[in-house]
Amino acid sequence: MPETLLRNVFHVPAAPSAVLAHLSEPASYVGLSPLVVAVRDVRREPGGIRFVSVERFRFLGFVRYDNLIEVTLRAGDAGVEGEVDSPGGVWLGYRFALTPHGDGTEVEDVLRVRARFSPLLRYAARKAREVQLARAAVLAERARSF
């Protein structure tokens, strides 16, 4: 299965414990990704949290498609990681590594995107990169209120 690795490192003006607490809650992902408009069916299980995330896509500016994705989230002392399984044949592994840095936290955001075929991978990787870069700005802004 073809795959792509995406990495972004950025600073958040909040302590690692506050960033970890925020990233450990499914509800925090609404708006953290510009595509995610809702989170539902949250199940806290041994070893992690599973939930359904609703990604909203717009095609041609007016056609709306809500993609329901299964998300697994595992929080540890140094960050958050998990997997995303999309019914469209896209799989994503993610990791947010958190390191104290100056007056806040350095976040290393790593995404491993896999898809059934190359054209789908190119589309998914492009969207994932857009989300990854937007997430840095959103998380830094939210951190001001932690």
Side-chain angles (χ1 to χ4, degrees):
M1 186 179 285
E3 73 176 40
T4 270
L5 186 69
L6 305 169
R7 181 175 178 270
N8 188 33
V9 177
F10 56 95
H11 186 266
V12 174
S17 59
V19 178
L20 179 63
H22 188 71
L23 292 174
S24 297
E25 283 302 317
S28 297
Y29 289 83
V30 174
L32 188 57
S33 160
L35 298 175
V36 176
V37 297
V39 169
R40 60 186 190 209
D41 302 329
V42 176
R43 302 168 310 278
R44 297 184 187 276
E45 301 172 349
I49 302 170
R50 294 180 56 82
F51 58 95
V52 173
S53 183
V54 180
E55 287 184 320
R56 181 157 295 152
F57 290 91
R58 294 211 181 270
F59 299 100
L60 305 173
F62 63 92
V63 177
R64 186 178 96 179
Y65 173 71
D66 286 350
N67 189 36
L68 305 180
I69 58 176
E70 279 289 328
V71 180
T72 302
L73 183 151
R74 292 179 298 279
D77 292 338
V80 174
E81 66 178 23
E83 296 83 34
V84 174
D85 189 8
S86 173
V90 175
W91 179 89
L92 186 134
Y94 66 92
R95 178 175 51 89
F96 302 114
L98 309 176
T99 306
H101 187 265
D103 63 343
T105 303
E106 180 180 271
V107 178
E108 180 186 34
D109 179 345
V110 178
L111 303 174
R112 181 175 307 278
V113 185
R114 294 190 313 186
R116 293 183 192 187
F117 53 93
S118 293
L120 180 57
L121 176 62
R122 283 191 297 274
Y123 175 78
R126 187 177 80 245
K127 283 299 194 185
R129 184 62 174 170
E130 289 171 6
V131 166
Q132 187 180 50
L133 295 175
R135 179 170 37 243
V138 171
L139 189 56
E141 181 61 33
R142 285 184 181 181
R144 299 182 197 292
S145 65
F146 290 169

